[in-house]
Amino acid sequence: MKMTFQKLVIGASIAIGVSALATAPAHATSFSFNGNTGEINTYTGGSNGTFIRGNAQGGTNAAINALTDNDATSNVELWYSTENPTSNVGFTATQGSYSATVSSVTADDWKIFGSQWVGDLLNSYTPFKSVWNGFSASTQSLITSSFPSLGIGDPNIGGFQFGQNGGVELKLVGDLDVKTKLSDTINSNLKLAWDGGVKSLFSVQPSVLNVQTKIATLQLTLNSPLTPASTKLLLQTQIAQLTSYKDLLTFKDTLTAYQGGIGVSEIAKVATGGQTYYAYSFNPTVSGITASDDKLSYSAYYTWKTPGYIKQVPEPSIILGLLGVAGVFATQRKFKKASI
């Protein structure tokens, strides 16, 4: 009789839980992939993960799983072949009336949001802000135009989910420290400036002070009433070149002296709710893994949300269902205790 009553109580608890779960509204998110799926690559996650191409067998299923498995190390790369996408390739997520399209970032996109990104970067790493503000407009433009070469416009998306009222949250893969990549970018710009005319003014690679002294000397000659107009035109060109070169050297020296890490996420373009956003972050979380090729990529992940994002919470019916199922274990424990 005791066992019959126990089964009845357990059965009632399970029935309540199953009923509550069955009556909860569905909130499944569906995904479709846009553009050339051959440019979509999925990493299955962890330190021993594998890559599955978007157009390979199971490629779409692997991508969906990586976006929804709550594991940021499994991720979907939007634009696989190079680090400088030439078109917006990605996916569209739909949940009920909500829709969001997430894609790679092109050079044309950088022209739209590049200044905003640089401003946010400088606000996150303030030691560079005063240095940047002292640069000429041409130097700022030169450096900004070279940032796409950092290879962060082909984003690896480690997670996607809708919030309440259709907001979006992304997990973006990135680096814990991009100082090496930034240094390489600055060195490339320095070489271009050196070969472009600066080396004709120096016998050896100059310091910031050497360049500043040369600029001052040329400025005196430029301002002299004895200098011919044709020579002044050349001097103006040389001064502009040297000023840009000096700015780049100053940036490099500041970067070398900076002791902290510079964490930067990759960047995704997000269109949702009639708005277009560029998703990125400078607040890293250690992932525990790194890419086997450069030993830098995948070392961190970043969380980005649309403004006003509110995380979805389980429906009350789901919570009741879980409580009902939990009641099974509580009842079992009581019966066991009573039968001792």
Side-chain angles (χ1 to χ4, degrees):
M1 183 67 181
K2 184 186 345 181
M3 290 303 295
T4 302
F5 178 69
Q6 178 179 355
K7 290 178 181 177
L8 287 172
V9 174
I10 293 173
S13 297
I14 293 175
I16 292 171
V18 172
S19 175
L21 291 171
T23 57
H27 287 287
T29 301
S30 61
F31 294 85
S32 61
F33 293 85
N34 313 317
N36 180 6
T37 58
E39 287 290 356
I40 295 175
N41 200 34
T42 299
Y43 182 70
T44 59
S47 58
N48 297 314
T50 58
F51 290 95
I52 300 175
R53 294 295 298 274
N55 56 4
Q57 184 177 4
T60 299
N61 291 335
I64 294 173
N65 182 66
L67 292 170
T68 58
D69 64 0
N70 294 317
D71 177 5
T73 68
S74 62
N75 59 79
V76 180
E77 183 176 15
L78 306 181
W79 197 269
Y80 167 75
S81 60
T82 67
E83 293 189 334
N84 296 295
T86 57
S87 66
N88 300 118
V89 168
F91 62 86
T92 296
T94 304
Q95 183 186 95
S97 61
Y98 304 144
S99 179
T101 296
V102 181
S103 61
S104 53
V105 171
T106 67
D108 287 340
D109 290 318
W110 270 100
K111 293 175 184 177
I112 297 171
F113 80 96
S115 295
Q116 168 195 318
W117 184 86
V118 170
D120 290 341
L121 174 70
L122 296 174
N123 286 333
S124 298
Y125 300 99
T126 53
F128 297 94
K129 193 168 186 178
S130 60
V131 174
W132 178 268
N133 290 339
F135 291 167
S136 66
S138 61
T139 303
Q140 291 181 352
S141 178
L142 173 66
I143 295 176
T144 300
S145 67
S146 67
F147 279 139
S149 66
L150 290 174
I152 56 179
D154 55 336
N156 291 66
I157 312 298
F160 174 95
Q161 68 177 30
F162 284 109
Q164 293 184 31
N165 302 320
V168 167
E169 178 186 88
L170 294 182
K171 297 293 184 183
L172 297 161
V173 176
D175 294 354
L176 274 175
D177 192 357
V178 296
K179 284 203 298 290
T180 300
K181 290 183 178 181
L182 279 171
S183 181
D184 290 344
T185 298
I186 297 303
N187 284 334
S188 295
N189 284 324
L190 281 169
K191 186 177 186 308
L192 287 173
W194 178 258
D195 294 338
V198 173
K199 69 179 179 181
S200 65
L201 301 173
F202 297 94
S203 57
V204 295
Q205 293 280 352
S207 66
V208 172
L209 181 59
N210 295 148
V211 177
Q212 184 60 58
T213 301
K214 176 65 74 174
I215 291 173
T217 300
L218 295 178
Q219 194 69 53
L220 286 173
T221 305
L222 175 66
N223 294 335
S224 171
L226 301 178
T227 302
S230 57
T231 302
K232 287 188 175 184
L233 184 61
L234 173 62
L235 290 170
Q236 288 172 343
T237 299
Q238 290 177 331
I239 289 171
Q241 289 176 329
L242 287 173
T243 299
S244 180
Y245 193 77
K246 174 179 68 69
D247 291 344
L248 289 169
L249 283 175
T250 301
F251 193 95
K252 180 180 178 181
D253 289 347
T254 304
L255 190 63
T256 301
Y258 185 67
Q259 295 299 309
I262 302 177
V264 173
S265 77
E266 294 179 335
I267 306 168
K269 184 177 184 178
V270 181
T272 185
Q275 301 289 324
T276 297
Y277 305 93
Y278 290 94
Y280 55 84
S281 171
F282 304 105
N283 186 23
T285 298
V286 177
S287 69
I289 65 172
T290 55
S292 58
D293 50 3
D294 63 7
K295 305 300 181 183
L296 294 172
S297 303
Y298 291 30
S299 56
Y301 67 87
Y302 300 74
T303 300
W304 176 88
K305 305 172 184 177
T306 50
Y309 175 86
I310 302 174
K311 188 177 182 65
Q312 287 192 16
V313 295
E315 294 288 335
S317 56
I318 295 178
I319 296 174
L320 288 172
L322 294 175
L323 288 174
V325 174
V328 171
F329 300 102
T331 303
Q332 283 179 316
R333 186 173 164 213
K334 288 179 181 178
F335 276 123
K336 285 179 181 178
K337 195 171 183 180
S339 62
I340 292 174

